[in-house]
Amino acid sequence: MLVRSVSFGLTAETPATSGAGVVLAHPGPPTVEGGALVHVVHGSSRVPAVDIEVERAEVLRGVFLTLIYAPAQGGVTVPLLGPRLVFPDDIDDVGADLVGSFRCEIVLAPRVGAFYLHAAYRQYVSNVVRLMAPPGAR
């Protein structure tokens, strides 16, 4: 799994959050680029502001993605951001909470069967989306 790009901010596909945690949305099928599958995933991380210890960027810096290949039950975990920078103005104030919205591109080798992408942030509610290859992809 490669998190090829990450961008911040609300889009029409950004899932709504009603409480602390991470939510994900996978609005459409992947595209095929050079034999690899590129899945676009939108998400939001919402955290009570009192739980942020150092800086606002923690709202996104603390999100981890775990990709599980269902047939093999094998998984790999990576930070959402990796070496990417996030700035305080990428995080929105929503009442007493801080919310960071993102769009990322996940690049996978095509395989038969489903992948599950799990996003988590600390002890808060996590979320899973199913990533499937388009019909006819190998």
Side-chain angles (χ1 to χ4, degrees):
M1 168 176 70
L2 168 68
V3 180
R4 181 169 72 180
S5 70
V6 178
S7 57
F8 308 111
L10 293 171
T11 67
E13 290 86 9
T14 301
T17 59
S18 58
V22 179
V23 292
L24 296 175
H26 184 245
T31 58
V32 179
E33 293 181 17
L37 299 177
V38 180
H39 295 268
V40 175
V41 177
H42 298 264
S44 290
S45 176
R46 183 173 184 152
V47 181
V50 297
D51 290 352
I52 298 301
E53 299 167 1
V54 179
E55 62 177 321
R56 298 166 64 93
E58 286 182 53
V59 173
L60 290 172
R61 205 174 284 131
V63 175
F64 282 82
L65 302 175
T66 300
L67 183 74
I68 300 161
Y69 180 50
Q73 292 295 305
V76 61
T77 300
V78 298
L80 169 67
L81 297 181
R84 296 171 186 88
L85 295 176
V86 59
F87 298 98
D89 61 348
D90 292 325
I91 309 300
D92 299 315
D93 292 289
V94 179
D97 296 339
L98 298 175
V99 177
S101 301
F102 59 90
R103 174 194 181 277
C104 63
E105 293 181 353
I106 308 291
V107 180
L108 303 174
R111 298 199 198 263
V112 175
F115 286 91
Y116 292 92
L117 183 67
H118 176 252
Y121 180 84
R122 295 188 187 170
Q123 75 273 18
Y124 303 111
V125 174
S126 60
N127 196 221
V128 174
V129 292
R130 183 176 175 177
L131 305 178
M132 294 291 294
R138 296 250 174 218

